[in-house]
Every structure is written in C-alpha cells, then in structure tokens.
Amino acid sequence: MTLTRRHLMSGAAALALLTALPASADGHAPLKVAGIYTVPVEQQWVSRIHIAAEAAAARGDIEYTFTENVANTDYPRVMREYAESGVGLIVGEVFGAEAEAREVAADYPEVAFLMGSSFKEDPALPNFAVFDNYIQDAAYLSGIIAGAMSETGNIGMVGGFPIPEVNRLMHAFMAGVQETKPEATFQVSFIGSWFDPPKAKETAFAMIENGADVMYAERFGVSDAAVEKGVLAIGNVIDTQADYPNTVVASAIWHFEPTLDAAIAAVKAGEFTAADYGRYSFMDRGGSSLAPLGTFEDRVPQEALDLVAEREAAIMDGSFAVEINDEEPKSS
C-alpha cells in the first residue's frame, strides 16, 4: 500500500485536531479508533462509516485516523500496524479478507475489531464483532416509489457483488416496486467491483437500451447513465439528489452512527465482545431512513406517498417487517 499525499495530510490534520480535543462527555479520555477501507472514503458505503467516525471525533468521544484504498491482500498488514500502534477499536470491512482478518484479531485480544462482514460473529473470538448495513426497510420504501414512477415497469438494477449485504437490499427494493407495479420486470447485473463508475455506467446504459426507465443505483456511475439517457434513478446508502436533481427520485439512507456509538460505548465500558451489530442499521434503531423527496416532492403519486407513510409507521411500531432475503437476485 502506498500512502498518498492526501492520507498524510489527513493524518497530520488529525494529529493537530487531537491535541485540542477535550475529554469525552463521560469524562474519559477519547478512545483511539482507526478506520481501514478498501476504497476511497467518498465511496457511498464507506462514506457512512467515515462520517459517523468524524462526528464521534468532533464530540470528543474518539481520536480517529484512517487509511483508504487498502488492497485486500494488504489488509491484514495494515490491521497489525494499527493494532501495534495502540488503538482501542479498529473499524473497517473484510468482505475480501475474512479469514486473514480474524487471524489478526486473534493475535491482538486487547484490541476491539468492528468489521463489515458477510459472516457472523464467533464466540471463540470475543474481540471481533461484525456489522452489515441492514437497510432493507428503507430500500423497500424506495421501491414503492420506484414502482409508482415507472411507466414501462422495466427496472434496471446494477450492483457491486452478489453478497448478502447487496442481495437483501435488492430483494427489498424489488418487493417495494411490486407493491405499486405488480407486473414489473427486473434486469439485474453485478459489475464485480465496489468502485468502478465507468463499468457501472456502461452496464446501466445496456439496461436502459433494453427498456429500463428506472434504475436502482447501488453503485456510483448508474445515475450518470440515467441522466444521459433521460430516465430516473433510485439511490442507495447516500442521498445524491443534490447532484442529480432531475434524476434521483428517492434514496435509502444508511446511518452508521447507532452502530459505531454502540461499539464505542461497549469498548469504554469494557463490555465489547463478539456480537452482530447489524440490528443497529434497522429503521427502528435509527440506522436507516428514506431520504426527503426534495425536487420530486410533488411528482410522486399521492397513493404511493400514502403507502410509504403507512408502511413506515408499521415498520417503526413493529407491526410490519420487510423480508430479509440474502439470496442472489435474478433478472425476470
């Protein structure tokens, strides 16, 4: 891994900030936290972790530093370097380095690891907790809107990899679409990358040429194709409507703050253990939401808005649950 000038600058800025940080609200010294990311922090999924960590640092709860663009083959080494440096909590994603990451965690039992993972926690490795963005609630609601906005009923869906974290969101979105467009058909494709906007864009172009008039933008690049071809898009994880005001109708937003805050509290209390933090991404925990419709506020049919409000209320009070389906989705 090559340290970029940007990373060196961010590290220097972080050190300057940390010298001025007050004690956290509970009176303890800030917990040292490191983020390790395989993609740039602008990438939508990682950006949510990064934003939550920066917020915790601004409160004085943690000291935060990070390294981005770490190759999977280099990931264990970077983990060891941070563990050796004295951090108390390491946050990241190990989808491509599961076994190696757990081996590193076993060598540093005094360090807490909170990692995005497709696998569950292991009680034999008590310092390694897992999470995933279970934002199927918000994805389902965005699907209701997508179905109402589609004229052809042909929906294109471009994802990164067919792993549970992606699959469950796609299935929830599809279920929402079918609430307002029962006859809808779906084109589903995975680009084999977490960050390849040109490839995602080309894949989206092909789907639009094949009749899709609404695109599910699980990856960056899809909304760019939608803009160029004059079709609509639904965002995922972050709200990009400001960048695509006449294209992105709605977005399912992930809020990592509840997940990270729970882990920070557990580490500080000496109670961090092997656990699945995925539940903190559910809507009723504040871990996800449907972004404001903004420029599309008056363009979505009222019947769809009413159904969204009804389902959201039911999700929040526990009377309705969106199905969690981790199987790979297929084209219709």
Side-chain angles (χ1 to χ4, degrees):
M1 181 190 63
T2 301
L3 288 176
T4 64
R5 179 173 179 271
R6 166 180 168 170
H7 180 262
L8 290 172
M9 290 178 67
S10 69
L15 287 174
L17 174 64
L18 296 181
T19 62
L21 281 177
S24 60
D26 59 11
H28 294 92
L31 174 69
K32 292 183 179 180
V33 176
I36 308 175
Y37 311 121
T38 61
V39 293
V41 291
E42 289 86 0
Q43 190 261 10
Q44 59 261 58
W45 194 88
V46 160
S47 74
R48 306 310 292 174
I49 303 173
H50 184 63
I51 289 170
E54 288 191 318
R59 294 195 304 264
D61 289 346
I62 66 172
E63 298 178 2
Y64 172 58
T65 188
F66 70 94
T67 303
E68 58 187 345
N69 292 316
V70 179
N72 287 324
T73 53
D74 221 13
Y75 208 93
R77 180 183 64 79
V78 179
M79 289 176 68
R80 289 185 185 279
E81 288 180 354
Y82 274 126
E84 293 284 352
S85 74
V87 301
L89 173 64
I90 296 177
V91 183
E93 15 93 29
V94 295
F95 298 106
E98 291 278 357
E100 297 86 349
R102 292 172 189 249
E103 290 175 1
V104 172
D107 290 339
Y108 298 93
E110 74 286 357
V111 179
F113 294 83
L114 178 66
M115 294 292 178
S117 171
S118 293
F119 294 88
K120 293 300 183 181
E121 72 279 12
D122 180 0
L125 192 60
N127 63 324
F128 191 97
V130 299
F131 69 87
D132 214 337
N133 65 330
Y134 282 82
I135 63 170
Q136 66 281 342
D137 300 327
Y140 167 82
L141 297 180
S142 72
I144 291 175
I145 292 171
M149 296 298 288
S150 175
E151 296 181 2
T152 67
N154 187 330
I155 310 295
M157 307 180 68
V158 180
F161 292 91
I163 65 172
E165 178 258 323
V166 175
N167 297 344
R168 73 175 67 102
L169 304 189
M170 285 189 163
H171 278 295
F173 172 81
M174 294 162 78
V177 169
Q178 291 169 332
E179 292 275 18
T180 48
K181 192 76 67 176
E183 72 280 11
T185 58
F186 302 92
Q187 303 179 59
V188 181
S189 184
F190 299 92
I191 64 172
S193 172
W194 292 129
F195 194 72
D196 191 343
K199 188 173 184 179
K201 185 177 181 180
E202 288 302 317
T203 303
F205 276 150
M207 292 180 175
I208 296 167
E209 290 296 323
N210 198 36
D213 69 344
V214 176
M215 295 298 306
Y216 179 69
E218 200 271 329
R219 293 292 100 193
F220 278 158
V222 176
S223 294
D224 295 301
V227 169
E228 292 189 25
K229 294 297 184 179
V231 303
L232 300 176
I234 301 294
N236 180 58
V237 177
I238 63 174
D239 184 4
T240 57
Q241 193 184 80
D243 297 318
Y244 308 97
N246 297 308
T247 300
V248 174
V249 183
S251 298
I253 308 301
W254 183 32
H255 306 288
F256 191 67
E257 288 80 359
T259 303
L260 182 60
D261 291 350
I264 291 170
V267 173
K268 288 189 173 186
E271 298 172 352
F272 188 89
T273 188
D276 184 353
Y277 279 70
R279 188 67 179 80
Y280 290 98
S281 290
F282 282 44
M283 185 174 283
D284 63 359
R285 293 290 186 95
S288 59
S289 67
L290 185 67
L293 297 180
T295 54
F296 282 86
E297 188 72 46
D298 299 323
R299 298 164 63 181
V300 177
Q302 188 60 47
E303 295 82 359
L305 297 179
D306 292 343
L307 181 57
V308 166
E310 176 187 334
R311 290 286 192 266
E312 183 173 359
I315 289 169
M316 295 300 287
D317 68 22
S319 60
F320 179 81
V322 176
E323 180 184 5
I324 297 175
N325 183 348
D326 289 348
E327 296 179 4
E328 181 177 343
K330 305 293 184 181
S331 297
S332 300

